[in-house]
Amino acid sequence: MLETIRWLPGEECLELLDQTRLPAEISYIKCSDYRQVAAAIKCLAVRGAPAIGAAAAYGLVLAAGKCRANAEEEYLAQVEAAARELAATRPTAVNLSWALTRLLQRASDAGTGDPAVLRDLLLEEAHAIFREDASGNRKIGEYGQGFIPQKGSVLTHCNAGALATAGYGTALGVIRAARNAGKDVSVYADETRPLLQGARLTTLELLQENIPVTLITDNMAGFLMAKKMVDLVIVGADRIASNGDVANKIGTYGLAVLAKAHNIPFYVAAPFSTVDLSLHSGDEIPIEERDHTEVTHHGGRLLAPAGVKVWNPAFDVTPHHLVTAIITDRGIVRPPFGENLKKTTRQGLQDC
Ligand code: MRU
């Protein structure tokens, strides 16, 4: 499994696997300044909701290490300004602001103005976020693998694997766990236009572990389902509203509609840090729109007439009524999601 994020303790520096270069090249970006981390998040060198949360947390540690101030308040104000810059890089995945808020809370609870102490506390918190994500994904895998039949075929979209997290993955974590449980599981990976995370990243992860994977273009999913070649769909999430509406990579909504039409279960796998109970519905989730060149160009080559008008939302929202269940690190949440997500928050682990 490729390592997505690594903190180099002796060097006060963060290394990020440059996912824009995969699968052709394995290279890491060294970040010693939080602005480099922000740039890496923005250009998708590091991507996937949990991974950008963890990367931003380490980014804030880098910022804290460089802030200089005479008073605690002044110091915290500088750290908060860096957090705002990091949070603004990608608006849809709530894990980003969730991780930064967690670090800022730790700093303000500390009750000290000593920059060295604060910076160490922030690093401790960033490590905790990273560790919790990696172990949470194993739990998601354990809970979710029960949905995969002994011999099963899964369709997934984008990349919700080790590369998108601190390790193991969410949707791909469920597939890994099924495989580890001795199931004969095979995967169809949507290529995921425009940036091809499915073609470039999901297939790479699965091939590395000899999990059978077949790449399809996004417009083949309907026919695949009509031909009864897939038993279930599992995707990740960037933000889940309190009613169970799910924001995930553009194209997810279409898959959910197709799955419903073909009577195929549609599962979402995500850590609880992706749930945003402050939002009533998916209508309130901010959807990132990205540069038109991602659609008009590929590998530097123009694919459409110059000057054509383009719409490029990076995510869409799948309404909760199309979701069969949400597989979280605290257990499986079933409809009615409004009630059961809140219950899971209060009572912790359960199947409801
Ligand atoms: O634009 P990306 O590549 O960051 O989008 C990633 C996704 O949509 C993933 O499915 C989601 O973040 C979940 S990753 C565990």
Side-chain angles (χ1 to χ4, degrees):
M1 237 185 286
L2 286 167
E3 243 182 321
T4 307
I5 299 169
R6 50 189 190 216
W7 177 258
L8 304 184
E11 299 178 40
E12 194 68 8
C13 142
L14 180 69
E15 278 194 333
L16 297 171
L17 176 64
D18 187 350
Q19 298 190 33
T20 63
R21 295 181 181 272
L22 291 174
E25 184 188 317
I26 295 172
S27 62
Y28 283 82
I29 302 172
K30 267 196 171 197
C31 306
S32 51
D33 187 282
Y34 80 92
R35 291 177 195 89
Q36 291 169 300
V37 179
I41 295 173
K42 193 136 191 91
C43 77
L44 269 62
V46 59
R47 35 116 346 246
I52 61 177
Y58 285 115
L60 200 61
V61 175
L62 293 175
K66 288 190 177 163
C67 289
R68 295 286 167 263
N70 295 322
E72 181 186 342
E73 269 171 33
E74 201 187 320
Y75 178 82
L76 287 179
Q78 288 179 22
V79 176
E80 276 166 21
R84 277 195 297 278
E85 237 178 277
L86 285 161
T89 51
R90 296 199 77 192
T92 302
V94 74
N95 310 62
L96 185 55
S97 52
W98 169 84
L100 292 166
T101 305
R102 197 169 139 172
L103 261 69
L104 291 176
Q105 191 62 49
R106 181 81 193 262
S108 75
D109 288 350
T112 168
D114 183 335
V117 175
L118 280 168
R119 178 256 171 228
D120 287 354
L121 287 177
L122 293 185
L123 181 59
E124 215 174 85
E125 201 63 26
H127 283 327
I129 286 171
F130 186 86
R131 272 196 314 269
E132 286 166 25
D133 186 60
S135 64
N137 290 338
R138 303 249 166 202
K139 288 186 192 149
I140 290 172
E142 253 170 65
Y143 302 138
Q145 69 87 12
F147 291 124
I148 299 183
Q150 193 55 41
K151 181 171 170 53
S153 167
V154 181
L155 173 61
T156 191
H157 190 64
C158 193
N159 172 265
L163 291 166
T165 62
Y168 204 66
T170 56
L172 295 195
V174 173
I175 290 162
R176 286 194 163 96
R179 160 71 167 248
N180 293 341
K183 294 184 180 177
D184 180 2
V185 56
S186 58
V187 179
Y188 284 95
D190 274 348
E191 67 172 348
T192 318
R193 276 281 290 151
L195 296 179
L196 305 176
Q197 290 93 329
R200 297 186 299 108
L201 310 175
T202 294
T203 56
L204 177 68
E205 275 196 38
L206 295 173
L207 285 172
Q208 279 184 339
E209 289 176 33
N210 292 319
I211 296 176
V213 57
T214 305
L215 175 63
I216 59 169
T217 62
D218 298 335
N219 51 359
M220 294 174 187
F223 195 47
L224 184 82
M225 291 183 193
K227 292 290 227 178
K228 301 197 182 314
M229 289 163 74
V230 56
D231 299 304
L232 66 157
V233 179
I234 313 179
V235 296
D238 282 80
R239 195 185 297 226
I240 300 171
S242 62
N243 69 345
D245 290 351
V246 175
N248 190 49
K249 179 53 56 193
I250 190 77
T252 303
Y253 171 44
L255 277 190
V257 173
L258 284 170
K260 187 77 162 184
H262 291 89
N263 220 4
I264 291 170
F266 183 90
Y267 298 104
V268 174
F272 225 78
S273 53
T274 304
V275 177
D276 185 351
L277 290 175
S278 75
L279 304 184
H280 296 293
S281 81
D283 290 344
E284 297 165 47
I285 300 176
I287 299 295
E288 175 186 7
E289 291 195 19
R290 295 186 59 87
D291 198 88
H292 64 95
T293 53
E294 290 182 352
V295 176
T296 54
H297 289 67
H298 190 71
R301 220 184 98 223
L302 187 65
L303 304 174
V308 68
K309 198 172 157 196
V310 168
W311 184 46
N312 185 19
F315 301 96
D316 58 26
V317 176
T318 298
H320 57 92
H321 64 89
L322 297 176
V323 177
T324 309
I326 302 173
I327 307 160
T328 78
D329 47 345
R330 297 191 191 172
I332 290 164
V333 186
R334 298 174 199 270
F337 294 115
E339 225 170 88
N340 289 336
L341 281 170
K342 283 191 197 95
K343 227 193 261 174
T344 309
T345 315
R346 281 197 305 271
Q347 297 165 3
L349 173 67
Q350 59 185 299
D351 184 340
C352 57

